[in-house]
Short mmCIF file of all heavy atoms in Angstrom, two decimals:
data_model
loop_
_atom_site.label_atom_id
_atom_site.label_comp_id
_atom_site.label_asym_id
_atom_site.label_seq_id
_atom_site.Cartn_x
_atom_site.Cartn_y
_atom_site.Cartn_z
N VAL T 204 -1.40 -16.98 17.97
CA VAL T 204 -0.85 -16.23 16.80
C VAL T 204 -0.47 -14.77 17.06
O VAL T 204 0.72 -14.32 16.84
CB VAL T 204 -1.78 -16.26 15.53
CG1 VAL T 204 -1.44 -15.39 14.50
CG2 VAL T 204 -2.04 -17.72 15.20
N ALA T 205 -1.34 -13.93 17.67
CA ALA T 205 -1.22 -12.60 17.95
C ALA T 205 0.00 -12.25 18.93
O ALA T 205 0.97 -11.59 18.60
CB ALA T 205 -2.44 -11.98 18.39
N PRO T 206 -0.10 -13.01 20.04
CA PRO T 206 1.11 -12.74 21.08
C PRO T 206 2.34 -13.26 20.33
O PRO T 206 3.42 -12.54 20.54
CB PRO T 206 0.83 -13.66 22.28
CG PRO T 206 -0.70 -13.77 22.25
CD PRO T 206 -1.14 -13.83 20.76
N GLY T 207 2.36 -14.40 19.70
CA GLY T 207 3.63 -14.85 19.11
C GLY T 207 4.03 -13.90 18.09
O GLY T 207 5.35 -13.81 17.94
N ALA T 208 3.23 -13.32 17.16
CA ALA T 208 3.66 -12.44 16.11
C ALA T 208 4.37 -11.12 16.74
O ALA T 208 5.43 -10.72 16.19
CB ALA T 208 2.49 -12.00 15.37
N PHE T 209 3.81 -10.65 17.75
CA PHE T 209 4.46 -9.42 18.46
C PHE T 209 5.79 -9.83 19.16
O PHE T 209 6.62 -8.93 19.29
CB PHE T 209 3.45 -8.82 19.44
CG PHE T 209 2.40 -8.06 18.69
CD1 PHE T 209 1.12 -8.59 18.31
CD2 PHE T 209 2.70 -6.75 18.23
CE1 PHE T 209 0.21 -7.90 17.70
CE2 PHE T 209 1.77 -6.02 17.55
CZ PHE T 209 0.47 -6.64 17.28
N VAL T 210 5.97 -11.07 19.52
CA VAL T 210 7.26 -11.40 20.20
C VAL T 210 8.31 -11.76 19.13
O VAL T 210 9.53 -11.38 19.30
CB VAL T 210 6.99 -12.66 21.17
CG1 VAL T 210 8.33 -13.19 21.56
CG2 VAL T 210 6.18 -12.28 22.33
N VAL T 211 7.91 -12.46 18.17
CA VAL T 211 8.81 -13.06 17.13
C VAL T 211 9.29 -12.06 16.08
O VAL T 211 10.44 -11.92 15.75
CB VAL T 211 8.40 -14.33 16.48
CG1 VAL T 211 9.18 -14.73 15.31
CG2 VAL T 211 8.15 -15.37 17.50
N LEU T 212 8.31 -11.28 15.61
CA LEU T 212 8.63 -10.40 14.39
C LEU T 212 9.37 -9.15 14.81
O LEU T 212 9.25 -8.76 15.98
CB LEU T 212 7.36 -10.01 13.70
CG LEU T 212 6.67 -11.22 12.98
CD1 LEU T 212 5.41 -10.84 12.39
CD2 LEU T 212 7.51 -11.85 11.81
N ALA T 213 10.21 -8.65 13.79
CA ALA T 213 11.08 -7.57 14.25
C ALA T 213 10.46 -6.23 14.60
O ALA T 213 10.93 -5.50 15.39
CB ALA T 213 12.02 -7.28 12.99
N SER T 214 9.22 -5.92 13.96
CA SER T 214 8.63 -4.63 14.26
C SER T 214 7.21 -4.85 14.63
O SER T 214 6.58 -5.90 14.17
CB SER T 214 8.77 -3.74 13.26
OG SER T 214 7.98 -3.98 12.07
N ARG T 215 6.57 -3.92 15.39
CA ARG T 215 5.14 -4.01 15.65
C ARG T 215 4.33 -3.90 14.39
O ARG T 215 3.22 -4.52 14.29
CB ARG T 215 4.80 -3.07 16.63
CG ARG T 215 5.48 -3.16 18.06
CD ARG T 215 5.11 -2.01 18.92
NE ARG T 215 3.62 -1.95 19.29
CZ ARG T 215 3.04 -2.53 20.30
NH1 ARG T 215 3.80 -3.23 21.14
NH2 ARG T 215 1.72 -2.37 20.38
N ASP T 216 4.81 -3.07 13.41
CA ASP T 216 4.12 -3.01 12.14
C ASP T 216 3.94 -4.31 11.33
O ASP T 216 2.88 -4.67 10.89
CB ASP T 216 4.85 -1.94 11.20
CG ASP T 216 4.75 -0.51 11.75
OD1 ASP T 216 3.70 -0.17 12.42
OD2 ASP T 216 5.56 0.25 11.41
N GLN T 217 5.17 -5.13 11.41
CA GLN T 217 4.95 -6.49 10.78
C GLN T 217 4.02 -7.27 11.51
O GLN T 217 3.23 -8.05 10.80
CB GLN T 217 6.38 -7.13 10.73
CG GLN T 217 7.41 -6.50 9.77
CD GLN T 217 8.65 -7.17 9.85
OE1 GLN T 217 9.12 -7.63 10.93
NE2 GLN T 217 9.46 -7.15 8.84
N ALA T 218 4.03 -7.38 12.70
CA ALA T 218 3.16 -8.14 13.55
C ALA T 218 1.71 -7.64 13.45
O ALA T 218 0.85 -8.56 13.17
CB ALA T 218 3.54 -8.00 15.11
N GLY T 219 1.57 -6.61 13.32
CA GLY T 219 0.05 -5.98 13.22
C GLY T 219 -0.32 -6.39 11.79
O GLY T 219 -1.66 -6.74 11.68
N ALA T 220 0.44 -6.24 10.82
CA ALA T 220 -0.04 -6.64 9.39
C ALA T 220 -0.23 -8.13 9.37
O ALA T 220 -1.29 -8.54 8.83
CB ALA T 220 1.22 -6.28 8.36
N MET T 221 0.54 -8.98 10.01
CA MET T 221 0.34 -10.37 10.02
C MET T 221 -1.06 -10.75 10.73
O MET T 221 -1.83 -11.50 10.28
CB MET T 221 1.42 -11.20 10.58
CG MET T 221 1.34 -12.55 10.39
SD MET T 221 2.57 -13.62 11.30
CE MET T 221 1.52 -14.02 12.76
N VAL T 222 -1.17 -10.12 11.98
CA VAL T 222 -2.39 -10.37 12.72
C VAL T 222 -3.66 -9.94 11.93
O VAL T 222 -4.68 -10.57 11.96
CB VAL T 222 -2.31 -9.88 14.06
CG1 VAL T 222 -3.61 -9.88 14.83
CG2 VAL T 222 -1.14 -10.55 14.89
N GLY T 223 -3.50 -8.74 11.35
CA GLY T 223 -4.59 -8.22 10.47
C GLY T 223 -4.98 -9.11 9.32
O GLY T 223 -6.18 -9.34 9.06
N TYR T 224 -4.05 -9.67 8.67
CA TYR T 224 -4.25 -10.51 7.58
C TYR T 224 -4.98 -11.84 8.03
O TYR T 224 -5.98 -12.33 7.56
CB TYR T 224 -2.90 -10.86 6.97
CG TYR T 224 -3.00 -11.94 5.81
CD1 TYR T 224 -3.28 -11.61 4.47
CD2 TYR T 224 -2.74 -13.36 6.14
CE1 TYR T 224 -3.32 -12.57 3.52
CE2 TYR T 224 -2.84 -14.27 5.17
CZ TYR T 224 -3.18 -13.93 3.86
OH TYR T 224 -3.21 -14.92 2.90
N SER T 225 -4.46 -12.35 9.11
CA SER T 225 -5.03 -13.64 9.78
C SER T 225 -6.39 -13.21 10.22
O SER T 225 -7.35 -14.15 10.14
CB SER T 225 -4.03 -14.05 10.98
OG SER T 225 -2.83 -14.29 10.55
N LEU T 226 -6.70 -12.16 10.83
CA LEU T 226 -7.94 -11.81 11.34
C LEU T 226 -8.96 -11.85 10.21
O LEU T 226 -10.17 -12.29 10.35
CB LEU T 226 -7.88 -10.49 12.11
CG LEU T 226 -9.15 -10.16 12.91
CD1 LEU T 226 -9.41 -11.15 13.95
CD2 LEU T 226 -8.96 -8.81 13.54
N ALA T 227 -8.64 -11.21 9.11
CA ALA T 227 -9.61 -11.11 7.96
C ALA T 227 -9.97 -12.44 7.42
O ALA T 227 -11.10 -12.80 7.28
CB ALA T 227 -8.92 -10.37 6.90
N ARG T 228 -9.03 -13.47 7.36
CA ARG T 228 -9.18 -14.71 6.94
C ARG T 228 -10.15 -15.48 7.82
O ARG T 228 -11.07 -16.24 7.56
CB ARG T 228 -7.92 -15.56 6.63
CG ARG T 228 -6.99 -14.97 5.49
CD ARG T 228 -7.89 -14.48 4.37
NE ARG T 228 -7.07 -13.85 3.27
CZ ARG T 228 -6.65 -12.71 3.08
NH1 ARG T 228 -7.01 -11.79 3.91
NH2 ARG T 228 -6.14 -12.24 2.10
N MET T 229 -9.85 -15.39 9.20
CA MET T 229 -10.58 -15.91 10.30
C MET T 229 -12.10 -15.42 10.19
O MET T 229 -12.96 -16.31 10.42
CB MET T 229 -9.93 -15.65 11.57
CG MET T 229 -10.53 -16.37 12.69
SD MET T 229 -10.09 -15.83 14.34
CE MET T 229 -10.92 -14.25 14.37
N HIS T 230 -12.25 -14.25 9.95
CA HIS T 230 -13.64 -13.74 9.85
C HIS T 230 -14.40 -14.45 8.68
O HIS T 230 -15.61 -14.79 8.90
CB HIS T 230 -13.71 -12.23 9.70
CG HIS T 230 -13.47 -11.44 10.92
ND1 HIS T 230 -13.07 -10.18 10.85
CD2 HIS T 230 -13.50 -11.80 12.21
CE1 HIS T 230 -12.93 -9.74 12.23
NE2 HIS T 230 -13.28 -10.81 12.91
N TRP T 231 -13.69 -14.60 7.68
CA TRP T 231 -14.42 -15.26 6.43
C TRP T 231 -14.68 -16.76 6.72
O TRP T 231 -15.78 -17.25 6.50
CB TRP T 231 -13.58 -15.17 5.21
CG TRP T 231 -13.77 -13.93 4.46
CD1 TRP T 231 -12.83 -12.94 4.43
CD2 TRP T 231 -14.87 -13.38 3.82
NE1 TRP T 231 -13.32 -11.92 3.62
CE2 TRP T 231 -14.64 -12.16 3.28
CE3 TRP T 231 -16.13 -14.07 3.53
CZ2 TRP T 231 -15.51 -11.43 2.54
CZ3 TRP T 231 -17.10 -13.33 2.83
CH2 TRP T 231 -16.72 -12.03 2.35
N VAL T 232 -13.85 -17.36 7.43
CA VAL T 232 -14.01 -18.68 7.99
C VAL T 232 -15.25 -18.80 8.85
O VAL T 232 -16.06 -19.72 8.77
CB VAL T 232 -12.77 -19.42 8.64
CG1 VAL T 232 -13.09 -20.57 9.29
CG2 VAL T 232 -11.71 -19.63 7.60
#
């Protein structure tokens, strides 16, 4: 997820936001 987000998304900010969102959910799981 993280490497793919930084390759596919247009900006690093978008990729960071997506990885941060995913990381928070993963911690709860």
Side-chain angles (χ1 to χ4, degrees):
V204 174
F209 283 96
V210 169
V211 172
L212 294 175
S214 74
R215 293 179 62 96
D216 290 334
Q217 288 177 334
M221 189 188 97
V222 171
Y224 176 84
S225 301
L226 188 62
R228 297 322 180 264
M229 187 191 70
H230 282 160
W231 278 108
V232 168

